[in-house]
């Protein structure tokens, strides 16, 4: 603190000594021209006198700033709360310049605080609207699904059956989009909606597959679960984990080759300190140059041009939730050979 104080006043100190030396030089020349007797003690006395007044001035200036500087240097901007920093701006300023600077900081702080409050208000209103809209859309979506199933049961015409199947497919896409939107809206409140518990991984997989069984049947795909040991348990939040697995399963369904009887294999592998879940398809794959960016929000890559319904948010949501749960999510793919996604539960999350 004192070192910085003296450093800031270094030009002032240099100027004082420079002016004193010039004064002494002028005195030497005057005495020399007048033929008078010169005394080195006089010049030393003049220098000491200048130093004494300089020290007195610096001491008075430092005493005025000491209390303010002491509080300023106790603040760590990386770990101190904003309230502690704001207290500094309400202290009595040692100089008019400092007072002006603190007034500017207070004005900026109030303006920024008001903007943050307005932003939070707008964000909450938007989130409330999204949640209400999603829940309102679930009703017509369910009605469409029921009407489609009833229509299929009341006719045997193949064209009409195909028509109702197409409606159900589009309704499923609508449902997946709503679920994705709702989960993204809930990410901000993840910690408030988190409950860790033992989860049987294979059972959770069967439930997700059963929910999407119509997608498997319509696309002529066959899910398969391969488990090293029976009843592999992991420690996680079952609801959020279901969201991750469901999103990975939907991606595997969407990007598989449909109508060819291909398999989507879910392999549960128990290792010494971890459990890994591999979801593997033999679909269109992901180009190598797109792999580093597939977890970025809104990134669709080359496949997004082939699948126009791609949002680029599915894998982003899956990895974000996995990271929040303490799991890791990685992906490996080869173009036209398929994609393998690995969800790893380490010893920290078992």
């Amino acid at each position: 603190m004192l070192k910085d104080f003296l450093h800031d006043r270094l030009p002032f100190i240099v100027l004082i000594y420079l002016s004193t030396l010039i004064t002494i030089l002028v005195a030497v020349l005057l005495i020399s021209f007048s033929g008078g007797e010169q005394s080195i003690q006089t010049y030393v006395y003049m220098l000491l006198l200048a130093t004494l007044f300089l020290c007195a001035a610096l001491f008075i200036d430092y005493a005025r700033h000491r209390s303010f500087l002491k509080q300023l240097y106790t603040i760590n901007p990386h770990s101190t709360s904003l309230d502690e920093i704001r207290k500094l701006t309400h202290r009595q300023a040692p100089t008019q310049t400092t007072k002006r600077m603190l007034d500017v900081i207070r004005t900026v702080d109030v303006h920024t605080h008001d903007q943050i409050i307005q932003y939070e208000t707008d964000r909450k209103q938007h989130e409330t609207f999204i949640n209400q809209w999603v829940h309102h859309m679930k009703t017509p979506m369910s009605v469409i699904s029921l009407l489609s199933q009833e229509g299929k049961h009341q006719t045997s015409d193949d064209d009409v059956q195909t028509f109702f199947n197409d409606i159900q497919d589009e309704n499923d896409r609508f449902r997946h989009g709503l679920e994705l939107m709702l989960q993204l809206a809930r990410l901000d409140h993840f910690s408030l909606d988190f409950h860790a518990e033992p989860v049987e991984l294979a059972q959770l997989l069967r439930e997700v597959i059963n929910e999407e069984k119509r997608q498997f049947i319509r696309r002529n795909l066959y899910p398969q679960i391969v488990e090293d040991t029976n009843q592999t348990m992991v420690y996680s939040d079952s609801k959020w984990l279901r969201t991750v697995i469901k999103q990975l399963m939907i991606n595997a369904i969407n990007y598989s080759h449909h109508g060819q009887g291909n398999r989507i294999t879910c392999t549960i592998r128990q290792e010494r300190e971890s459990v890994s879940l591999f979801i593997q398809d033999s679909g269109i794959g992901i180009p190598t140059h797109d792999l580093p960016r597939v977890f970025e929000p809104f990134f669709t890559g080359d496949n997004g041009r082939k699948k126009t319904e791609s949002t680029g948010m599915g894998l982003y949501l899956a990895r974000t939730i996995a990271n929040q749960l303490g799991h890791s999510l990685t992906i490996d793919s080869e173009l036209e050979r398929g994609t393998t996604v690995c969800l790893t539960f380490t010893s920290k999350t078992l």
Side-chain angles (χ1 to χ4, degrees), residues 160-187:
V160 177
Q161 290 276 344
T162 301
F163 174 74
F164 281 120
N165 285 333
D166 290 341
I167 291 178
Q168 286 185 327
D169 286 345
E170 294 304 320
N171 198 44
D172 284 336
R173 288 195 182 98
F174 186 33
R175 174 171 59 87
H176 293 150
L178 289 178
E179 290 175 352
L180 178 62
M181 183 182 297
L182 189 60
Q183 296 301 334
L184 285 170
R186 289 176 175 171
L187 276 180

Side-chain angles (χ1 to χ4, degrees), residues 41-107:
Q41 289 84 358
T42 302
Y43 303 136
V44 171
Y45 176 75
M46 293 174 63
L47 186 61
L48 290 176
L49 193 62
T51 301
L52 177 64
F53 281 109
L54 174 62
C55 290
L58 290 175
F59 177 79
I60 295 172
D61 192 27
Y62 180 71
R64 293 172 61 200
H65 287 83
R66 184 175 180 276
S67 178
F68 181 82
L69 292 174
K70 185 176 180 181
Q71 184 174 356
L72 178 64
Y73 276 81
T74 57
I75 294 176
N76 183 348
H78 301 292
S79 60
T80 308
S81 66
L82 280 176
D83 291 336
E84 290 296 320
I85 297 176
R86 288 192 180 104
K87 288 180 181 178
L88 180 66
T89 63
H90 294 286
R91 288 187 59 89
Q92 184 176 359
T95 63
Q96 291 300 315
T97 302
T98 306
K99 181 178 181 298
R100 179 65 178 171
M101 179 188 67
L102 293 180
D103 289 340
V104 172
I105 292 175
R106 280 194 295 268
T107 303

Side-chain angles (χ1 to χ4, degrees), residues 19-29 42-44 46-47:
S19 63
T20 302
L21 291 176
I22 291 174
T23 301
I24 293 175
L25 179 61
V26 170
V28 169
L29 292 176
T42 302
Y43 303 136
V44 171
M46 293 174 63
L47 186 61

